[in-house]
Amino acid sequence: MKPFTYERAKTPAAAAAAAMRTPGAKFIAGGTNLLDLMKLEIEAPRHLVDVNALKLDKIEATPGGGVRIGALVSNTDLASNTRIRRDYGVLSRAIVAGASGQLRNKATTAGNLLQRTRCPYFYDTNQPCNKRQPGSGCGAIGGYSRQLAVIGTSTKCIATYPGDMAVAMRVLDAQVETVNAAGTVRAIPIAEFHRSPGDTPHIETALAPGELITSVTLPAPIGGSHVYYKVRDRASYAFALVSVAAVVQRDGSGRVAIGGIAPRPWRVAGADAAMGQGAKAVAQPLLAGAKPTEDNAFKLALVERTIGAAIAQARETA
Amino acid sequence: MANVTEMEISRRGVMAVGAASAMLAPLPAGAQVPAPKAVPVTMKVSLEVNGTRRDLEVDTRTTLLDVLRENLHLTGTKKGCDHGQCGACTVMAGGKRINSCLSLAVMHQGDEIVTIEGLGTPEKLHPMQAAFIKHDGYQCGYCTPGQICSAVAVLAEIKAGIPSHVTAELTARPMVTGAEMRERMSGNICRCGAYSNIVDAMADVAGADIAGVKA
Ligand SMILES: Cc1cc2nc3c(=O)[nH]c(=O)nc-3n(C[C@H](O)[C@H](O)[C@H](O)COP(=O)(O)OP(=O)(O)OC[C@H]3O[C@@H](n4cnc5c(N)ncnc54)[C@H](O)[C@@H]3O)c2cc1C
Ligand code: SF4
């Protein structure tokens, strides 16, 4: 690990200002992704701004009937919250489908959104990777790509966004609230938060340098049966090959977002519109224009089947 | 695959092995480029470890795990993968189990830390330690301190109503079942495969009536 200086920020604006002031600074929350990457020197911040004392650890009601989740709420606390379990079950389910009990105790709402890809070439510093080292090439294209993305990729990067929580937030139309060093606040719709790789796969989100996430808001509950169906190589403690977040209403209509197949949580209006017409009809618009590799073409069939399984589960639990 | 050179094939083969494990949990990369001269930074931090206040001055890079083992000589907590994948480093911080390898010591100013040494002693074992011995919940013993810390926390988490991936009803209280315990213990890997005896030990402590448990 490269040496770094460290400070504990006291207010969100001060944290954002500290991150802007010091070149090469990064926020640290739970540390479960950043420290992992720092040990491998894939990340090498020169200064860490600890955001744990910002008092952004509450879940509260919004005037519009929704909830505001503090950026520092732990994954365990979020998944366990009574209101989230009752009204936003897909979010609780997605969180407990990820990582381990120990990790979820430390992992935070903001840190989870910002977790980086698990592309094996990104992790192996002996391999070229445009995301880790812009312009160095992409080891995964033409390499071993079983876990990687089948849609939304570019000729520069085919990595997936690996997380589970954000897939549920995508289906719930969450907004990410931020503050910058000037004290300006804004709300970014989750649909615009994670970016497509294009020619700049190292730029992964809509956040500006030094911009701090303060909270995530969810609109008023939409009812329905909530399901998060995750398919992975072992029964627990593994990243998704394909995951489906679905909210299904009694009449069969609903919403669906897919994880494990794209550089962002993947949701398409045409798929929501096709809910109620069977898994094939729902999968088709989601996968239109997919460019799988020989290794990961299996994900196309898996998406359709997982959607089918998720809808069946939603009916059972309705 | 018709016009792929032999070298490319072997590269794919090598990556296939490495990559499969990376997706489950990435492994550390090999040799790094030598680090340019950078100045290590030290900071003061005080921790409340197993009930005793410890004042330390550490390199900011030092993990909680390394402070426990190297500075405080509490070597019960083990270093396995050092990347949050194996659970051997599990300790309680502020009453919650965490991977001490993925946490910086300086981020624990004033925190209460409980390690396996703080749970019980050879003279006065914690009930979970006694149950691991009774049910033979280990072979080589390397992952055991982490398993025991996790096991204690898992029963507390079920009691506190924290849901898991296998909890059927999100709005109902989770129960102490074999499936619940196995799922919640998935962050602790045991290469000897003592898993079934670990679940037996946990069921014994929980007083749970689980099919097949020889309490
Ligand atoms: C072995 C292992 C298995 C895992 N399995 C899964 C899995 O199955 N599914 C899954 O979804 N995840 C999984 N994870 C990933 C885990 O969910 C993330 O590591 C965790 O959510 C990151 O949260 P954190 O608070 O620890 O982030 P940190 O590591 O503290 O930070 C991550 C990033 O977010 C930035 N950041 C943090 N807070 C803020 C803020 N308020 N504003 C702006 N930037 C901020 C940091 O600068 C950093 O770049 C796994 C991790 C490990 C180690
Ligand atoms: S797919 Fe993206 S992350 Fe993976 S090696 Fe290529 S550029 Fe890097």
Side-chain angles (χ1 to χ4, degrees):
Chain A
M1 213 188 290
K2 294 272 199 287
F4 54 84
T5 48
Y6 166 92
E7 73 176 280
R8 295 180 194 103
K10 294 209 173 60
T11 65
M20 271 311 262
R21 194 166 52 233
T22 326
K26 283 212 91 135
F27 301 118
I28 186 160
T32 60
N33 190 223
L34 186 56
L35 285 170
D36 185 13
L37 295 169
M38 283 168 66
K39 287 183 182 192
L40 300 169
E41 297 188 357
I42 293 166
E43 298 260 24
R46 277 182 277 168
H47 184 66
L48 284 185
V49 180
D50 183 344
V51 294
N52 284 285
L54 298 184
K55 301 195 175 68
L56 296 172
D57 54 358
K58 287 175 197 65
I59 301 173
E60 49 199 17
T62 60
V67 289
R68 174 169 285 108
I69 303 156
L72 273 296
V73 172
S74 77
N75 283 182
T76 300
D77 288 349
L78 183 54
S80 311
N81 180 272
T82 314
R83 178 119 196 249
I84 301 294
R85 283 155 77 175
R86 189 191 61 208
D87 295 338
Y88 306 96
V90 65
L91 182 55
S92 282
R93 287 282 181 212
I95 291 170
V96 296
S100 66
Q102 291 96 312
L103 289 161
R104 293 193 297 269
N105 280 344
K106 268 270 133 195
T108 65
T109 307
N112 194 325
L113 275 177
L114 291 169
Q115 63 175 290
R116 304 199 68 189
T117 188
R118 295 281 161 170
C119 170
Y121 297 86
F122 172 76
Y123 264 87
D124 183 347
T125 51
N126 297 308
Q127 298 286 337
C129 170
N130 288 324
K131 196 186 265 306
R132 174 167 35 75
Q133 204 180 339
S136 63
C138 170
I141 295 175
Y144 179 74
S145 55
R146 180 170 177 273
Q147 299 101 345
L148 304 191
V150 296
I151 196 159
T153 56
S154 75
T155 55
K156 298 290 195 293
C157 179
I158 59 169
T160 59
Y161 171 77
D164 295 297
M165 183 193 79
V167 183
M169 286 183 172
R170 181 76 180 85
V171 96
L172 293 169
D173 284 332
Q175 301 227 22
V176 183
E177 299 186 319
T178 69
V179 64
N180 69 11
T184 311
V185 298
R186 65 167 173 151
I188 308 164
I190 186 86
E192 291 158 30
F193 186 76
H194 294 103
R195 308 208 352 175
S196 294
D199 287 334
T200 53
H202 58 291
I203 302 171
E204 295 169 346
T205 69
L207 291 181
E211 192 171 359
L212 177 86
I213 298 176
T214 51
S215 50
V216 171
T217 57
L218 301 179
I222 54 167
S225 180
H226 289 225
V227 169
Y228 189 76
Y229 204 110
K230 179 172 175 180
V231 179
R232 41 187 161 174
D233 280 331
R234 58 185 184 201
S236 183
Y237 203 21
F239 286 92
L241 287 169
V242 166
S243 68
V244 172
V247 178
V248 184
Q249 306 295 344
R250 278 185 191 283
D251 63 1
S253 68
R255 303 176 177 184
V256 62
I258 316 288
I261 63 163
R264 327 184 255 130
W266 200 248
R267 186 168 168 208
V268 171
D272 284 9
M275 287 289 278
Q277 296 163 37
K280 197 182 186 73
V282 178
Q284 213 159 35
L286 282 162
L287 296 173
K291 288 196 188 72
T293 65
E294 200 182 320
D295 294 338
N296 67 19
F298 74 93
K299 286 192 178 185
L300 302 186
L302 194 55
V303 165
E304 184 184 321
R305 288 178 197 160
T306 312
I307 290 171
I311 293 173
Q313 198 179 83
R315 273 207 212 99
E316 261 169 45
T317 55
Chain B
M1 292 279 288
N3 45 13
V4 185
T5 66
E6 231 175 80
M7 241 179 89
E8 276 178 288
I9 290 171
S10 68
R11 183 175 73 97
R12 279 171 58 94
V14 168
M15 284 307 295
V17 174
S21 51
M23 193 59 181
L24 291 169
L27 294 164
Q32 300 285 331
V33 186
K37 272 207 189 78
V39 198
V41 183
T42 60
M43 269 184 84
K44 288 201 164 86
V45 64
S46 6
L47 313 170
E48 190 88 16
V49 183
N50 299 331
T52 309
R53 181 174 161 156
R54 311 297 294 254
D55 297 309
L56 301 153
E57 180 151 355
V58 297
D59 189 309
T60 50
R61 291 171 291 184
T62 317
T63 59
L64 177 60
L65 171 62
D66 285 340
V67 155
L68 293 171
R69 291 182 53 86
E70 310 296 331
N71 298 58
L72 302 178
H73 306 295
L74 291 167
T75 53
T77 307
K78 297 293 187 263
K79 183 180 281 193
C81 68
D82 212 20
H83 286 273
Q85 299 160 14
C86 75
C89 69
T90 304
V91 301
M92 316 285 186
K96 289 174 179 151
R97 59 175 170 151
I98 67 164
N99 298 108
S100 60
C101 75
L102 284 187
S103 209
L104 293 172
V106 292
M107 294 176 74
H108 288 281
Q109 174 61 35
D111 281 3
E112 272 180 33
I113 311 292
V114 177
T115 68
I116 189 72
E117 291 92 343
L119 274 186
T121 61
E123 296 74 39
K124 199 170 180 300
L125 293 173
H126 183 281
M128 191 65 79
Q129 291 171 317
F132 267 62
I133 294 170
K134 178 176 163 196
H135 291 276
D136 214 3
Y138 50 83
Q139 283 183 41
C140 81
Y142 195 80
C143 71
T144 313
Q147 299 279 2
I148 292 176
C149 286
S150 235
V152 169
V154 161
L155 296 186
E157 287 166 12
I158 295 176
K159 211 171 202 171
I162 293 168
S164 87
H165 179 57
V166 299
T167 307
E169 275 285 339
L170 260 190
T171 47
R173 295 194 73 78
M175 310 293 286
V176 183
T177 64
E180 283 283 3
M181 290 189 286
R182 277 193 288 274
E183 160 61 25
R184 290 167 193 265
M185 290 296 288
S186 72
N188 290 80
I189 312 289
C190 169
R191 281 298 74 131
C192 304
Y195 298 114
S196 58
N197 292 358
I198 291 171
V199 173
D200 288 355
M202 291 174 69
D204 198 346
V205 172
D209 184 16
I210 286 163
V213 173
K214 28 187 200 304

